[in-house]
Amino acid sequence: ALVPSPRLLVGRIVAVDRARGFAFVELADEAPADAHKEGTELIVRTLALAETGRIRASRNLRGRTLGATILRGQPAPGEEVVWLAP
């Protein structure tokens, strides 16, 4: 039987500041509120579902744009951001 993925879409990377280790995420309309709380770890992946990095949500939220600290990997603009729901 097919079951829904535990990974929920949060949004897409719109910009990356590698020098400061920061990424900006445009939140999807259906982004769960718990997914963009400060400190939440998020997964960045390509459209082919290959993980490219991990980011941590910051308290910087302006409208539908979330600032996040890059924890590891090389997130790039256009890649999707997902949250592993508990």
Side-chain angles (χ1 to χ4, degrees):
L2 294 175
V3 295
S5 172
R7 288 171 176 79
L8 302 175
L9 181 65
V10 175
R12 295 208 179 276
I13 300 285
V14 291
V16 176
D17 182 341
R18 295 205 191 286
R20 293 188 175 145
F22 216 67
F24 298 92
V25 179
E26 180 180 3
L27 297 174
D29 291 336
E30 66 274 8
D34 286 345
H36 51 84
K37 285 185 179 174
E38 183 179 4
T40 302
E41 188 170 318
L42 304 167
I43 300 166
V44 182
R45 64 186 188 184
T46 65
L47 295 178
L49 307 181
E51 186 175 317
T52 60
R54 297 280 175 124
I55 59 176
R56 178 173 292 129
S58 75
R59 61 187 170 109
N60 297 318
L61 179 62
R62 299 280 191 270
R64 304 286 310 157
T65 304
L66 171 70
T69 303
I70 299 172
L71 300 175
R72 65 178 175 268
Q74 298 291 321
E79 293 178 336
E80 66 182 15
V81 177
V82 295
W83 176 52
L84 183 57

